[in-house]
């Protein structure tokens, strides 16, 4: 097996296996297909969001405003496609949503790129919080507290007998496209520079590289991709309102990285699968959901800071020798 | 019984080993200086004694008590006080507050105020500026504050680390004079790390020479000053 | 109306100042953004509710009980969860988020969904010149908030404990060399911050209602304040609290509620972009 | 090709990853495949069980739950000779529209053909799905013809809409009180905005538009109303209409208005907040004279059945039932009776039967109205439940029927 091709082959094989899930389930348990599709769609979109954040995290900064960029993507799509019918092709609506997210990310990123750590986190969080009063205050174009309804499905989804299969494949393509892009970037020169910025940006500056440019670039790209996902979600949910994506959406995206592990790209994927799967099962749990969430966070922070992907290594270590606590990823 | 005894101490930072089995002992009232190049392990010895650097193997005894493995804040209570490298005064606090903090391990308020008076007498500059923020003072004044602060715990042993760093020679001389006075008047034992070999040999009774984490030569200061090795390498004489 | 807006701004500012004090302190000493602040606020409010309405203690006795009990709770959380991870900024942040969600979720289970109320013992209405009115309970809560804040200033600025806390904040290593147990000092600082949050809960909740998520809105305000004031800067947060109080009062009265909310966060972003050290920062 | 240990390891890893990811996504399909002996009819309780609206969610869920138990204890319902038992499945939508849509999809996936939900904001985005999948829904929503119209055949409104509360009873009450300067201060959500629309229309129809001096929308979780009250009280109103506040919000609004020296009256006609917390938070003196709809004083319950319901609810949940609990109880009883009468599980047949079926429930006769009713403009379909609507006023901390 050619080792350079191996990751591609793995990804392709997994993608093919996942693409076979709909016919398989429709065959085994047709009445479960809708629920399976629903969970699958959520997981795959979340994988995309988690990977975008992971990419930014490589540059050393953590955004707590990703829910805000999903909102921007979703609202732009909704406003253009559903509310005012300015664009007749939904796919172009997604593109517009992504562009809107990217433009806003560019402006914000340019202004805040010098901030570090908790300051970056807080400013992105404030930005996402600020969207809420703006969206509720203006009936035009945001639809006020009501939000936007009747957002159509993208063209071509009617190829499938019911829309859920279509959304499942759309989410599948989205998830793997993001994986591909993020993987390519991580392996490229830009990726290496970003990573070194994350580890020591002063040193990178000394190497004659313009740190700000790269940081903004990654931020904008991440938000662009997140914006597309927001558009897809808008279609899938058919209705969005200011409360649709909250602080907890942004937090979830961080949690994917935290639970999965921030060291490798597998981290956010594992985290998104586990957490969004769990989330769907906890819907009936009411307040226990918060309790479970809290326990999960505390568990991973205190006992397994390297996330799920570090579990094998942590177990191995535990059985061989007790050593000092690892601090993978959590700079 | 020696006041301080270090036996076969191995210590280091992360994977790097800074001390490879160092032993030395100090008698009550002695003035000892540690000589050596950058990274030879002088500061490591001081930090091992004050508890900032954990010991990997070996023992540290102070007044018949084994103190390796103790936390730094407990060791202060025994009467070991450090004048740390880079002074480390609290910049956003007044001179007076810095001195008060130096006396944290003392419970007796009468003794505390007596000490404060004595420190102010030793360093009149500190008395003049007791309301000033430590961070706004000159380097020399900060060093005086660091020494004064270390006196506030009524120590039996003072560990000083690179007092001369970045200061004008006259100021350094002044501070060492005060340290010698404390040594004579209060009977405080001194373990000094000093980059400037000439100074180190002048202010100390005896001297240890370190190279890459090991003591390579020891002896009374005047003898050491005459030795070939020290003269060539550290005093840069021909 | 101007007079009324000014009075409301002052009252809100005092309340916000109290709510933000614990958060400022914990950031100031431990450099930790405490997302569980709102939960401790809520627990303080709940404790006051159960002490007064269920057990039947007089209100101020209940508040005193809060002051006695919450340092222990705070120290327990610090020892159990935060001590080992506090040097990793993200871990510290996320752990407080975890505590927040855990405690709020448990709160809904334990305390139920019905909103509760604690009544402040002093009632009445004070008429001020210019047609403004000031409810006595708000006046007293505001005055107590100022008194507590003065107490915090005294404790941090004038006492041995305060000196130790500041020493640990400025240089934990040097503090150790002074004979200060840095771990224990930080635990004390955290306990103090938690107690202030709980005390704020017990006081401020008398003006509003009590339920397991009643700490969220105050916490949001507290965050705006500590960022505006410069993280960890006590004086800065006091000034920022009154600024936000006036923004909420004047903005809400002249432009509508959402405008006030928007302006608060807008100011936060501007401050963070152009002067991350806050309005009282050194830069 | 040389087979090395490494490449074997890689293949194993690859297979493991494929199996794991496919398995994780398919796991829901694998669970719960066993078919029960008794046939089940599933109703999805798509309600908020956490967050600010949780008390409404529990109240509604418990009402439906009691009704489900009642029908099941009586032996379920028989359709074409087969016995069906009701089963209620819960999903916490946190009062967030997107979560409600997710919940509905989950419910459909779990085989629910019926649903109860509440809140205009969370119901609105569900409507396309409700219509597409023909989910027979009983919902507590206030907005008018936006929800109840000929397009939404499967959506039944359990609570009186703003057209019945504000537009009819409200105007009566305003006239009786002699309101000269009215302020609407309501929640900044779908409910609040639709109440505002209905109120303005009704005032226009009655040629009273000039009495409305201000309308304000503030978030439902507002704690301090002082700034916005300062703004509206500058207009010297003599009446404040709250619209649809839950207990805590209304209580704080009233308390703070009184503290600012407001002497006028209050109504809260859309929502039916619980009296206990309202009085406790607002203070007995402040909330005196507040007029609300849909609230029954516990000592003035109209029928024995209602008294029994009240007692059972109190016994189970240690508190008085909220309005939407008995409204959804009655609506579910009606729905269940309609399913049995239709002798079919076809949603179209069921809803057709529902529209004409009259049953006697807790508050007497229950029926659906809306079609050709001049009081309900634009409804065009009998999807609005009606039952006696009490007007209550708070006196000394207790609700009594307003004369």
């Amino acid at each position: 097996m050619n080792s350079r091709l191996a990751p591609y082959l793995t990804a392709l094989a997994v993608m093919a296996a996942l693409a076979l899930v709909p016919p398989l389930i429709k065959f085994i348990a047709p009445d479960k297909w809708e629920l399976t599709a629903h969970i699958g769609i959520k997981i795959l979109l979340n994988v995309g969001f988690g990977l975008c954040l992971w990419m930014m995290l490589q540059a050393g900064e953590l955004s707590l405003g990703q829910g805000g960029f999903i909102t921007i993507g979703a609202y732009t799509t909704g406003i253009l496609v559903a509310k005012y019918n300015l664009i007749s092709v939904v796919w172009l609506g997604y593109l517009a949503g992504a562009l809107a997210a990217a433009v806003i990310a560019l402006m914000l990123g340019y202004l805040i790129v010098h901030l570090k750590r908790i300051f970056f986190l807080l400013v992105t969080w404030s930005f996402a919080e600020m969207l809420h009063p703006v969206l509720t205050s203006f009936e035009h174009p945001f639809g006020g507290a009501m939000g936007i309804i009747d957002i159509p499905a993208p063209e071509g989804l009617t190829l499938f007998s019911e829309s859920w299969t279509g959304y499942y494949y759309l989410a599948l393509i989205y998830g793997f496209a993001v994986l591909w892009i993020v993987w390519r970037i991580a392996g490229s020169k830009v990726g290496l520079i970003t990573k070194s910025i994350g580890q020591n940006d002063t040193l990178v500056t000394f190497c004659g590289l313009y740190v700000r440019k790269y940081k903004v670039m990654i931020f904008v790209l991440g938000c662009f991709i997140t914006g597309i996902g927001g558009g897809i979600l808008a279609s899938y949910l058919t209705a969005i309102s200011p409360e649709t994506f909250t602080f907890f959406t942004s937090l979830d995206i961080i949690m994917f990285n935290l639970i999965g592990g921030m060291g490798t790209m597998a981290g956010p994927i594992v985290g998104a699968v586990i957490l969004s799967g769990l989330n769907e099962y906890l819907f009936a749990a009411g307040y226990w959901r918060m309790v479970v969430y809290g326990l999960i966070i505390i568990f991973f922070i205190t006992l397994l800071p390297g996330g799920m992907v570090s579990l094998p290594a942590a177990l191995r270590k535990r059985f061989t020798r007790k050593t000092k606590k690892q601090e993978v990823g959590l700079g | 019984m020696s006041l301080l005894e270090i036996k076969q101490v191995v210590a280091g930072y992360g994977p790097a080993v800074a001390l490879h089995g160092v032993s030395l002992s100090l008698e009550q009232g002695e003035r000892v200086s540690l000589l050596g190049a950058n990274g030879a392990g002088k500061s490591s010895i001081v930090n091992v004694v004050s508890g900032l650097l954990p010991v990997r193997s070996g023992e540290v005894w102070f007044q018949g008590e084994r103190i390796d493995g103790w936390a730094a804040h407990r060791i202060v209570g025994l009467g070991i006080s450090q004048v740390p490298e880079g002074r480390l005064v609290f910049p956003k606090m007044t001179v007076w507050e810095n001195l008060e903090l130096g006396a944290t391990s003392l419970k007796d308020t009468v003794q505390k105020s007596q000490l404060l008076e004595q420190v102010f007498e030793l360093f009149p500059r500190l008395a003049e500026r007791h309301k000033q923020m430590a961070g706004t003072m000159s380097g020399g004044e900060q060093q005086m504050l660091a020494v004064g602060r270390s006196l506030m715990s009524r120590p039996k042993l003072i560990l000083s680390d690179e007092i001369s760093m970045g200061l004008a020679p006259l100021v350094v001389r002044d501070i060492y004079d005060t340290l010698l006075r404390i040594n004579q008047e209060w009977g405080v034992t001194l373990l000094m790390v000093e980059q400037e070999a000439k100074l180190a040999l002048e202010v100390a009774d005896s001297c240890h020479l370190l190279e890459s984490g090991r003591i390579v030569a020891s002896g009374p200061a005047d003898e050491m000053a005459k030795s070939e090795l020290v003269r060539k390498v550290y005093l840069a004489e021909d | 109306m101007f007079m009324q807006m000014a009075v409301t701004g002052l009252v809100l500012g005092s309340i916000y100042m109290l709510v933000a004090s614990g958060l400022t302190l914990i950031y100031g000493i431990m450099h930790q953004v405490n997302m569980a602040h709102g939960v401790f606020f809520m627990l303080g409010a709940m404790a006051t509710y159960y002490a007064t309405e269920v057990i039947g203690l007089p209100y101020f006795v209940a508040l005193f009980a809060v002051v006695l009990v919450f340092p222990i709770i705070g120290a327990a959380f610090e020892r159990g969860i935060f001590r080992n991870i506090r040097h990793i900024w993200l871990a510290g942040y996320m752990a407080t988020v975890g505590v927040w969600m855990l405690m709020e979720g448990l709160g809904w289970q334990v305390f139920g969904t019905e909103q509760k109320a604690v009544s402040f013992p002093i009632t009445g209405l004070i008429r001020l010149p210019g047609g403004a009115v000031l409810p006595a309970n708000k006046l007293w809560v505001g005055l107590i908030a100022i008194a507590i804040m003065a107490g915090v200033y005294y404790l941090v600025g004038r006492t041995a404990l305060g000196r130790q806390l500041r020493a640990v904040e400025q240089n934990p290593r040097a503090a150790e060399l002074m004979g200060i147990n840095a771990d224990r000092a930080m635990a004390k600082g955290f306990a103090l911050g938690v107690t202030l949050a709980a005390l704020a809960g017990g006081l401020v909740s008398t003006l509003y209602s009590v339920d397991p998520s009643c700490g969220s809105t105050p916490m949001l305000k507290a965050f705006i304040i500590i960022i505006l004031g410069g993280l960890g800067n006590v004086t800065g947060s006091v000034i920022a609290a009154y600024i936000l109080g006036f923004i909420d009062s004047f903005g809400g009265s002249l432009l509508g509620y959402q405008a006030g909310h928007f302006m608060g966060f807008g100011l936060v972003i501007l401050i963070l972009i152009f002067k991350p050290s806050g309005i009282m920062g050194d830069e | 090709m040389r087979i090395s240990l490494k490449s074997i390891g890689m293949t194993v890893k690859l297979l493991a990853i494929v199996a794991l990811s496919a398995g994780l996504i398919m796991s829901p399909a694998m669970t719960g495949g066993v078919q029960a002996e008794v046939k089940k009819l599933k109703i999805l309780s798509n309600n908020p069980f956490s967050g600010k609206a949780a008390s409404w969610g529990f109240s509604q869920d418990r009402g439906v739950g009691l009704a489900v138990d009642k029908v099941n204890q009586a032996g379920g319902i028989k359709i074409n000779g087969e016995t069906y038992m009701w089963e209620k499945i819960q999903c916490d939508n946190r009062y967030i529209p997107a979560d409600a849509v997710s919940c509905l999809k989950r419910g459909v996936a779990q085989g629910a053909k019926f649903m109860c939900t509440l809140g205009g904001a969370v119901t609105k985005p569900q409507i396309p799905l409700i219509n597409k999948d023909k989910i027979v829904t009983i919902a507590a929503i206030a907005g008018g013809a936006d929800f109840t119209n000929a397009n939404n055949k499967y959506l039944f409104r359990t609570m009186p809409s703003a057209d019945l509360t504000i537009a009819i009873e409200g105007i009566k009450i305003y006239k009786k009180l002699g309101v000269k300067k009215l302020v609407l201060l309501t929640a900044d959500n779908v409910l609040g905005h639709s109440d505002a629309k209905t109120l303005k229309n009704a005032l226009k129809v009655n040629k009273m538009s000039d009495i409305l001096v201000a309308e304000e929308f503030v978030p439902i979780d507002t704690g301090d109303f002082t700034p916005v009250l300062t703004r509206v009280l500058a207009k010297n109103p003599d009446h404040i209409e709250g619209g649809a506040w839950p207990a805590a919000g209304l209580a704080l609004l009233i308390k703070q208005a009184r503290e600012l020296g407001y002497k006028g009256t209050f109504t809260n006609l859309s929502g039916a907040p619980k009296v206990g917390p309202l009085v406790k938070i607002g203070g007995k003196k402040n909330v005196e004279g507040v007029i609300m709809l849909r609230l029954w004083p516990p000592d003035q319950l109209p029928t024995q059945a209602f008294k029994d319901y009240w007692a059972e609810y109190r016994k189970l949940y240690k508190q008085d039932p909220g309005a939407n609990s008995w409204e959804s109880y009655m609506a579910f009883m009606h729905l269940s009776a309609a399913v049995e009468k239709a002798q079919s599980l076809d949603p179209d047949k069921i809803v057709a039967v529902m529209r004409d079926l009259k049953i006697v429930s807790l508050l007497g006769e229950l029926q659906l109205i809306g079609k050709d009713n001049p009081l309900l403009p634009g409804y065009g379909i009998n999807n609005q439940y009606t039952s006696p609507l009490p007007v209550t006023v708070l006196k000394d901390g207790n609700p009594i029927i307003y004369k």
Side-chain angles (χ1 to χ4, degrees), chain A residues 15-193:
Chain A
M15 197 174 163
L18 290 180
L20 286 176
V21 165
L24 206 65
I25 293 195
K26 280 179 184 170
F27 179 70
I28 314 173
D31 57 323
K32 301 281 184 194
W33 163 235
E34 294 183 333
L35 180 58
T36 312
H38 177 67
I39 296 175
I41 292 163
K42 282 276 180 77
I43 290 178
L44 288 163
L45 288 175
N46 281 339
V47 164
F49 298 144
L51 280 168
C52 286
L53 187 76
W54 182 83
M55 185 170 69
M56 295 178 199
L57 207 62
Q58 293 302 296
E61 306 308 344
L62 188 63
S63 159
L64 188 52
Q66 290 313 98
F69 289 101
I70 298 177
T71 308
I72 292 171
Y75 260 85
T76 311
T77 309
I79 288 167
L80 293 176
V81 177
K83 189 153 183 187
Y84 297 112
N85 290 315
L86 293 174
I87 296 178
S88 52
V89 185
V90 181
W91 297 106
L92 287 180
Y94 295 166
L95 185 66
L99 282 174
V103 167
I104 290 169
L106 180 66
M107 293 192 291
L108 186 68
Y110 179 77
L111 287 169
I112 66 172
V113 70
H114 61 285
L115 297 175
K116 299 251 161 68
R117 297 187 159 187
I118 199 72
F119 291 99
F120 192 89
L121 186 107
L122 289 175
V123 78
T124 46
W125 165 73
S126 312
F127 165 75
E129 287 292 319
M130 233 173 77
L131 288 177
H132 189 266
V134 173
L135 295 179
T136 33
S137 300
F138 297 99
E139 188 70 33
H140 290 280
F142 305 119
M146 297 265 217
I148 296 166
I149 52 162
D150 295 334
I151 302 164
E155 297 77 13
L157 227 65
T158 40
L159 275 176
F160 303 95
S161 50
E162 27 78 20
S163 64
W164 295 19
T165 315
Y167 278 118
Y168 179 81
Y169 283 119
L170 185 56
L172 185 66
I173 293 167
Y174 176 78
F176 277 84
V178 177
L179 177 63
W180 185 71
I181 293 170
V182 172
W183 194 77
R184 283 307 298 262
I185 287 175
S188 71
K189 195 180 130 213
V190 178
L192 279 176
I193 295 168

Side-chain angles (χ1 to χ4, degrees), chain C residues 1 4 8 12 113-115 117 125 133 135 137-138 206-209 211 248-249 252-258, chain D residues 51-52 54 58 188 218-219 221-224 226-228 230-231 234 248 252 255-256 259-260 274 277 280-281 319:
Chain C
M1 192 162 145
Q4 185 64 54
T8 307
L12 284 179
T113 53
E114 197 158 290
Q115 265 115 356
L125 208 59
V133 287
N137 54 354
K138 283 193 172 171
T206 58
L207 305 176
Y208 309 117
S209 63
D211 68 36
D248 278 3
S249 172
S253 297
L254 298 173
L255 305 166
Y257 181 92
Q258 296 284 20
Chain D
K52 283 283 170 192
F58 280 112
D188 195 3
V218 289
D221 55 356
T222 302
D224 206 307
T226 322
V228 76
T230 308
R231 181 180 163 92
L252 291 174
K255 183 180 168 194
Q256 288 163 12
E259 284 171 355
L260 287 174
K274 289 204 175 147
K280 245 188 264 162
I281 298 168
Q319 48 179 272

